[in-house]
Amino acid sequence: MVKKILFVCLGNICRSPAAEGIFKQKIKERDLEKLFVVDSAGTGSWHVGNLPDKRMRSTALSRGIELTSRSRQIEENDLYEFDQILVMDKANLDAVKLLTKDQNNSVNSKIKLILSYSKNFQLDEVPDPYYGGQNGFDKVIDLLDDAMDGLIDSLTD
Ligand code: 4NP
């Protein structure tokens, strides 16, 4: 059975495109591409249609990951369409849950903080790098690279 995975942040130009790119690269390396459909979205609409932020693209590329997604805004139907919705921070979590009046467990249990899958870090949230410096973009990749191994392990057990 194909599993559909959606990564979500605020603008869908920094953290969630990086998450999508890292996840796709890891499933390619492990020859698991046929098992997954992968996408990303933002809770906001400011950047719809745009490529990821230049700083995020160059940081990812320096680690061998090309980011080519286009920003889109998450919609209610995504909550039913996808099997797992991995958000970057608690504000994203609240915003995604507010998309539906259907506050039942089958929807809510699909939505999780991506760093709940961390193996080597203790943070709960992937910090928003948009208004900061290069360190923030490197940190996004470090945190997501680590958590993605935990996520893929849990999905392929
Ligand atoms: P992201 O970062 O949520 O990781 O894509 C942001 C991108 C844009 C803005 C905020 C965060 N913005 O305010 O435009």
Side-chain angles (χ1 to χ4, degrees):
M1 261 281 278
V2 171
K3 284 184 182 143
K4 300 184 78 173
I5 312 295
L6 182 67
F7 296 102
V8 177
C9 62
L10 176 60
N12 192 213
I13 54 167
C14 296
R15 294 165 293 174
S16 60
E20 179 183 348
I22 293 168
F23 188 92
K24 283 180 170 167
Q25 194 191 46
K26 285 186 185 286
I27 58 173
K28 190 173 181 185
E29 284 166 4
R30 298 182 198 190
D31 205 17
L32 298 172
E33 282 168 297
K34 288 197 192 99
L35 295 182
F36 296 103
V37 168
V38 190
D39 196 8
S40 66
T43 59
S45 62
W46 311 283
H47 301 283
V48 166
N50 293 349
L51 280 170
D53 185 285
K54 251 190 195 156
R55 298 163 296 172
M56 193 75 258
R57 276 189 283 151
S58 66
T59 307
L61 202 54
S62 74
R63 313 277 190 107
I65 304 153
E66 194 179 1
L67 304 183
T68 57
S69 62
R70 293 278 174 175
S71 176
R72 74 171 179 91
Q73 187 173 27
I74 188 171
E75 51 192 55
E76 183 178 359
N77 192 48
D78 289 316
L79 302 187
Y80 306 107
E81 189 66 25
F82 286 87
D83 300 302
Q84 289 265 299
I85 299 166
L86 285 317
V87 302
M88 302 297 131
D89 62 32
K90 291 171 188 169
N92 305 152
L93 192 68
D94 291 343
V96 171
K97 286 183 175 175
L98 278 175
L99 287 170
T100 176
K101 291 194 185 78
D102 187 4
Q103 296 298 326
N104 65 51
N105 282 338
S106 69
V107 172
N108 274 344
S109 64
K110 293 180 182 181
I111 312 166
K112 288 187 190 146
L113 289 164
I114 182 65
L115 295 192
S116 64
Y117 291 98
S118 291
K119 291 189 154 184
N120 297 301
F121 292 94
Q122 302 297 330
L123 284 179
D124 289 339
E125 304 182 294
V126 183
D128 184 347
Y130 191 67
Y131 293 107
Q134 181 58 41
N135 284 353
F137 289 89
D138 287 319
K139 186 81 179 171
V140 166
I141 302 283
D142 291 341
L143 290 168
L144 290 174
D145 185 73
D146 177 64
M148 227 47 89
D149 289 330
L151 174 63
I152 293 171
D153 289 350
S154 85
L155 290 167
T156 53
D157 258 355

